[in-house]
Amino acid sequence: MITTRFTSRFELSVPVALGPMDKFADGRLAAAVTRAGGLGVLGAGYADPDWLNAQFAVADGARIGVGFIAWKLAERPELLDLVLAHQPAALMLSFGDPTPFADRIHDARVPLVNQINDLEEARRAIDIGAAVLVAQGGEAGGHGKGVRSTFTLVPEVADLVADRAPDTLVLAAGGVADGRGLAAALSLGADGALVGSRLWATREAPVNPVARDRALAAGSDETVRSTVFDVARGYPWPAGYGGRVLRNDFVDRWHGNEDMLRANLPEALRDYRAAVDAADFDTADIHIGEAIGVIRDNPTAAVVLGRMGREAAAILGRLAASAR
């Protein structure tokens, strides 16, 4: 068992939080992560009230957090009140300005978690009183700015926090998929890790088996950060953000040709929607991180967290022994 400030403050046995991966981080997976000793986080980025209430019901009393996309929450701010009424374990905001929501989260006495991509965002998170900063490197799956690597961003954020807000926790995100990654995150100064891709490939995650098998056979070199699926789906992500996805025919055709994609959007959208319905992942998207290169199985979330905790503890123990 590894004890960190994160495990102590959130009463965990493994210093791991579930990445709020849109519909994949649903009530079942979030609850499974919490019951395995981590912090389950519901992915509410594109959610509506019915889905949110249904997922809390599925979680069946498990203490879970909720993660919003900040710019998307600004379109439907009433969802914040709905979630706060459930008294989540934490409220995570990513990708956009969290400032308009901070006071309501603090007033509800819910820990505010802010995912950041650079030091400017880290300073803002400290200023609004975030309890936890998630330092996301470009290796991460899903969305982000992708301009910094986890390995360099995490220690800089840890140093900034130590200087300006020493009670604030830091989690590393991007590329953490096993005990080696967790041990590295802790060695870099983080209090734990936010894990997405590794927990995407678990039995509790609502992943299409065709997509899962395709990803498990892939390597990290087959991922790319791109905006093509946001264009195709009509998601107005702010400039500078892209999603790390597994390369396929759709990506190869349109990545770098986004203006042409916009000019042919009705046809491309038709093809994309048909592919999603048919589970045709030559065209449909698989958002996944670079860590897919070390993910080769599909166990339960409990197996993943147990394995990560044991491996990380063994690595840190060996390093401590060698330093004596």
Side-chain angles (χ1 to χ4, degrees), residues 99-264:
T99 307
F101 312 107
D103 286 345
R104 286 155 67 191
I105 297 168
H106 293 320
D107 290 345
R109 299 184 181 278
V110 172
L112 169 58
V113 180
N114 188 197
Q115 184 163 247
I116 58 91
N117 292 266
D118 55 40
L119 290 179
E120 180 181 353
E121 291 181 353
R123 294 185 188 97
R124 181 180 63 192
I126 291 170
D127 290 342
I128 65 171
V132 183
L133 271 61
V134 177
Q136 187 207 49
E139 300 93 326
H143 283 82
K145 289 184 176 178
V147 294
R148 294 295 309 273
S149 73
T150 307
F151 204 82
T152 59
L153 180 61
V154 171
E156 287 191 71
V157 172
D159 288 347
L160 176 68
V161 163
D163 181 57
R164 292 189 50 184
D167 290 335
T168 302
L169 306 184
V170 176
L171 301 183
V176 180
D178 57 18
R180 294 172 296 180
L182 179 57
L186 298 176
S187 298
L188 291 171
D191 299 287
L194 186 84
V195 175
S197 298
R198 173 62 276 192
L199 290 166
W200 176 92
T202 56
R203 294 179 190 174
E204 294 90 350
V207 175
N208 185 291
V210 178
R212 178 200 64 213
D213 292 347
R214 185 173 183 135
L216 291 178
S220 60
D221 289 343
E222 296 172 66
T223 71
V224 64
R225 189 165 293 281
S226 181
T227 63
V228 295
F229 289 113
D230 295 331
V231 174
R233 296 180 296 184
Y235 290 172
W237 275 82
Y241 289 102
R244 183 166 293 281
V245 297
L246 201 62
R247 281 189 175 275
N248 62 11
D249 292 346
F250 191 90
V251 174
D252 290 342
R253 179 180 180 186
W254 297 116
H255 182 60
N257 297 302
E258 287 80 5
D259 288 343
M260 187 178 296
L261 173 59
R262 292 183 182 92
N264 292 273

